[in-house]
């Protein structure tokens, strides 16, 4: 339990507790309106958003390795759950709520399994351009989903975002102006207060003001939609409704939320680690903490939760030193559940829409798109296609498209890796790419080739064709081909066969193959295959300079070059 480590360090004192308490109260007053708003975005009653701020928040505080990360409902997780579960049941119904709670349980179980199997690395399968494209598109989907509450329109449930936009534009004459005014006032008020002081509970202040206005001016009878009845009291223990068929139907949504939620949470936690430098984030422990929070939280009617960047930043800025601040924030939620739910009746849904809109506007990342366009076009293409795919085909399909496209690009460039002819830079012992140093010396005696990737079935043909092309272009033919293997970090059986073909081809042309800088795992493989003995141990060199010295002067193989063919016979994993 990382939580106990704080007290074992014997650094926890009254001043640290005071800082944690202030941060916890600050986060608590921001968390309450956000939890209510994100619960509605998820398609469940506001009370379930508050439930998600109790058990999950407390369990993460005990088991999580981040001292500032704030757990609870977040916009992206909410829209992911809403998108997946709404295909199985109608939002805000009992069946829908049961499915949402069950999906939170399944997400937690999957994260616990990943933690037990040390599979935290799997989140690396989702590249940053995919995440950026998806989150930007999800932000637009969230914004569009709030048009009904922000404009006071009754918008039917459409499958595509553009249909919702079209309907809202076509029915602009039916907009409730009071509702629109509350929404715009709330957006401006929250934005201004946030710019004035980021840690100030602007959302809560605006919520209180608009609720009082709604109550005293009886805006309910003027068409303003309200939250109305919210049950009081703490969540009771209840076993979620579970079935195999339901689990299978929820799998796409569960997988998406698991990975996106974890990527977001670990990213936030890592950023705090880099900033504070007083604790270490352990990815597999984070998976366990997030998983156990969801699993046990599901038995107390908590909807899926994730790490919130905005609340974590506020928690840090307010002075949080440890996860004790999360305990204080949870106490704030408990207080509101016990004593304040009767005041929630008159909260206008328009102000909750405004809270969501202000939160997600910053997720649309234009700067990242511009940066990727200037830095690497293929990453820009992945981001844009993920963005468009998410908008057109939905959130799960959008992520799937982005991940597949990332792997297509990865495979394409892995199948056609960088390969260069090296030449000597005059007056030095350095050998560099001839295309970068065209004035460098090219020898007629030898040809130096460097292959910058592993040699495997995906690029072995490309490697062979490139070697044959380099050799065929040399007139007269060189006497030696020096293969620089310093960047060849692995080789498989297909690559070995190609290497053998190249050796036979070179032997037919009376060209000797010399191997330089072969790293340990590749040396082990070549020795086991018999290629090392077939080629001859005297053909292996530690440096290009040594191989060139032999090619030009026929210098005998020195004793130190035995390291060039060193291998480990016993050090071998099962898959090797």
């Amino acid at each position: 339990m990382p939580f106990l480590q704080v007290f074992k360090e014997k650094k926890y004192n009254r001043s640290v507790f005071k800082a944690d308490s202030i941060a916890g109260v600050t986060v608590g007053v921001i968390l309450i309106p956000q939890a209510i708003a994100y619960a509605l975005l998820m398609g469940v009653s506001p009370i379930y958003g508050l439930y998600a701020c109790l058990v999950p928040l407390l369990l993460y505080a005990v088991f999580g390795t981040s001292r500032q990360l704030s757990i609870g409902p977040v916009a992206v997780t909410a829209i992911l759950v809403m998108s997946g579960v709404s295909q199985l049941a109608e939002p805000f119904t009992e069946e829908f709520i049961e499915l949402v709670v069950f999906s939170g349980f399944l997400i937690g179980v999957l994260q616990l399994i990943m933690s037990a199997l040390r599979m935290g690395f799997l989140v690396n399968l989702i590249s940053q351009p995919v995440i950026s494209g998806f989150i930007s598109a999800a932000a637009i989907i969230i914004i569009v989903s709030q048009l009904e509450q922000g404009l006071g329109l009754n918008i039917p449930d459409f499958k595509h975002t553009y249909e919702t936009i079209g309907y809202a534009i076509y029915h602009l004459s039916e907009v409730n102006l009071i509702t629109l005014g509350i929404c715009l006032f709330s957006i401006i008020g929250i934005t201004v207060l946030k710019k004035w002081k980021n840690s100030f509970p602007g959302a809560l202040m605006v919520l209180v003001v608009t609720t009082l206005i709604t109550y005293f001016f009886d805006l309910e009878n003027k068409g303003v939609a309200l939250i109305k009845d919210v049950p009081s009291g703490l969540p009771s223990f209840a076993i979620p409704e579970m079935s195999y068929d339901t689990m299978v139907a929820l799998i796409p949504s569960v997988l998406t939320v698991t990975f996106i939620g974890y990527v977001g949470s670990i990213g936030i936690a890592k950023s705090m680690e880099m900033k504070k430098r007083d604790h270490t984030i352990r990815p597999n422990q984070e998976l366990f903490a997030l998983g156990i929070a969801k699993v046990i939280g599901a038995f107390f009617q908590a909807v899926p939760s994730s790490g919130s960047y905005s609340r974590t930043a506020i928690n840090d800025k307010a002075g949080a030193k440890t996860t004790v601040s999360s305990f204080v924030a949870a106490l704030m939620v408990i207080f509101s559940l016990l004593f304040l739910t009767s005041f929630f009746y008159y909260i206008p849904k328009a102000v909750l829409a405004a809270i969501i809109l202000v939160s997600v506007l910053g997720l649309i990342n234009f700067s990242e798109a511009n940066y990727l366009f200037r830095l690497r076009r293929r990453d820009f293409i992945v981001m844009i296609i993920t963005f468009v795919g998410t908008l057109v085909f939905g959130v799960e399909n959008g992520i799937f498209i982005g991940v597949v496209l990332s792997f297509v690009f990865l495979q394409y460039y892995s199948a056609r890796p960088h390969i260069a002819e090296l030449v000597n830079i005059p007056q030095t012992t350095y050998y560099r790419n001839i295309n970068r140093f065209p004035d460098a010396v090219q020898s007629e005696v030898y040809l130096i080739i460097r292959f910058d990737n592993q040699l495997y079935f995906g690029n072995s043909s490309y490697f062979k064709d490139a070697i044959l092309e380099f050799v065929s272009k040399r007139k007269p033919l060189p006497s030696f081909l020096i293969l620089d293997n310093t960047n060849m970090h692995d080789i498989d059986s297909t690559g070995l066969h190609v290497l053998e073909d190249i050796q036979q081809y070179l032997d037919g042309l009376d060209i000797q193959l010399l191997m330089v800088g072969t790293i340990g795992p590749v040396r082990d493989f070549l020795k086991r295959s018999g290629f090392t003995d077939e080629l001859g141990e005297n053909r292996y060199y530690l440096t290009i300079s040594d191989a060139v010295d032999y090619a030009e002067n026929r210098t005998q193989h020195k004793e130190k070059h035995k390291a060039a063919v060193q291998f480990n016979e016993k050090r071998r994993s099962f898959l090797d």
Side-chain angles (χ1 to χ4, degrees), residues 456-494:
Y456 74 115
F457 66 91
N459 60 27
S460 56
S461 295
Y462 176 78
F463 172 74
K464 180 179 179 179
D465 293 340
I467 293 293
L468 299 187
E469 184 178 357
F470 275 116
V471 172
S472 64
K473 286 182 178 179
R474 293 293 294 268
K475 302 297 181 184
L477 290 176
S479 300
F480 297 88
L481 173 65
I482 301 173
L483 185 60
D484 181 6
N485 297 329
T486 52
N487 294 336
M488 188 185 293
H489 59 272
D490 197 12
I491 184 171
D492 68 0
S493 57
T494 307

Side-chain angles (χ1 to χ4, degrees), residues 251 508 527:
I251 282 177
K527 184 65 176 180

Side-chain angles (χ1 to χ4, degrees), residues 233-254:
L234 301 179
S236 58
F237 179 86
I239 299 175
E241 291 288 334
M242 303 181 189
S243 71
Y244 175 78
D245 292 337
T246 303
M247 181 184 70
V248 172
L250 287 172
I251 282 177
S253 178
V254 166

Side-chain angles (χ1 to χ4, degrees), residues 280-292:
T280 301
I281 300 300
R282 303 197 303 272
N284 289 306
Q285 177 70 22
E286 284 296 291
L287 271 173
F288 176 82
L290 294 168
I292 200 70

